[in-house]
Amino acid sequence: MTGVPASSAAGGSSQAKGASVPSGPDASGASAGTSGAAEGGRSPRGGKIAAAAVNQASVWNVANLLTMLRLVLVPGFVALMLADGGYDPAWRSLAWAAFAIAMITDLFDGHLARTYNLVTDFGKIADPIADKAIMGAALICLSALGDLPWWVTAVILGRELGITLLRFLVIRYGVIPASRGGKLKTLTQGVAVGMYVLALTGWLATARFWVMAVAVVLTVVTGLDYIRQAIVLRRRGIAERRAALEEKEA
């Protein structure tokens, strides 16, 4: 009878066991690999939670803090502007300082948000509100004190509020980008209003009149340009949607 050597049988048995039941570091590695795969399957959800936490924390970034500072400066500016009847040069100088700080922070917060990826939903809403609040407060105070005609205040504020509303109305079709004319308008408005806030006399008082005249012209011209862009954007968006619908039906 032909037999199998005992050593071979034992070796075969050992090999079978080794193949079926890993042990030692290999077993630990396999277990760790399985565990890692299981954790890897849950990682996207954990990543979303972590990202949400980071976004929530990023609300308190330097760009948003500058925007909040502008909002806080508004009531302080009004109080300084109207102190002692609103005609004291010292109080008007302090009011100008508050206005200047607000205008300077307006230049930096948006740049910081875009450069360092600090854009948040809060910033998108609060930044334009802060801009309109400080400018509106200054214009209304100047007109109430008789330093600036009410029609100038009405033109500037009407344009600013109207364009802001227009942006929201056409946002479904796209975003109207800020133009160079719009940026020049903002700069000119800031300089002109700042000159009116100060109690200037002589040729400086005459100069501020012409600076404000340029600001009003830029306000109207850029406002009309934004309206034109909004109409073009809306027509293009409607045409693209119609073409997409026709293509889908075909």
Side-chain angles (χ1 to χ4, degrees):
M1 183 173 72
T2 305
V4 179
S7 60
S8 301
S13 175
S14 298
Q15 291 174 2
K17 288 180 181 180
S20 60
V21 183
S23 60
D26 293 340
S28 300
S31 177
T34 306
S35 176
E39 290 178 359
R42 294 193 300 268
S43 61
R45 183 178 179 183
K48 290 181 179 179
I49 295 174
V54 170
N55 290 335
Q56 184 66 24
S58 67
V59 171
W60 298 98
N61 59 55
V62 64
N64 286 345
L65 291 176
L66 290 176
T67 300
M68 294 177 195
L69 174 62
R70 289 213 310 283
L71 290 171
V72 172
L73 283 173
V74 173
F77 166 80
V78 173
L80 292 170
M81 190 71 182
L82 301 179
D84 199 14
Y87 298 102
D88 188 302
W91 288 112
R92 292 284 285 260
S93 297
L94 291 175
W96 176 86
F99 181 80
I101 292 173
M103 290 294 100
I104 292 172
T105 57
D106 180 32
L107 297 176
F108 283 104
D109 61 355
H111 174 73
L112 289 172
R114 291 186 296 270
T115 302
Y116 297 101
N117 195 25
L118 301 176
V119 178
T120 62
D121 291 337
F122 172 82
K124 293 177 183 178
I125 297 173
D127 183 67
I129 292 176
D131 297 344
K132 306 300 183 293
I134 190 66
M135 183 60 70
L139 290 168
I140 292 172
C141 285
L142 289 170
S143 294
L145 293 172
D147 293 340
L148 190 68
W150 277 106
W151 70 265
V152 174
T153 296
V155 168
I156 294 178
L157 291 185
R159 184 268 190 200
E160 298 300 329
L161 296 176
I163 295 302
T164 300
L165 178 61
L166 187 63
R167 286 176 180 273
F168 280 111
L169 290 176
V170 300
I171 197 170
R172 69 181 69 178
Y173 305 109
V175 177
I176 303 176
S179 63
R180 291 184 178 179
K183 295 177 181 178
L184 180 60
K185 177 269 307 177
T186 301
L187 177 62
T188 309
Q189 280 184 0
V191 173
V193 171
M195 293 179 73
Y196 269 87
V197 169
L198 287 171
L200 300 178
T201 58
W203 69 271
L204 288 175
T206 303
R208 71 182 182 183
F209 169 83
W210 291 108
V211 176
M212 181 60 76
V214 173
V216 171
V217 171
L218 288 174
T219 297
V220 174
V221 171
T222 56
L224 293 175
D225 182 61
Y226 274 119
I227 293 174
R228 179 193 63 80
Q229 292 186 59
I231 293 174
V232 172
L233 187 63
R234 182 176 180 274
R235 288 178 177 175
R236 184 184 305 161
I238 292 175
E240 290 176 354
R241 288 187 177 185
R242 187 177 300 166
L245 183 61
E246 290 176 355
E247 183 180 353
K248 184 178 180 180
E249 291 178 350

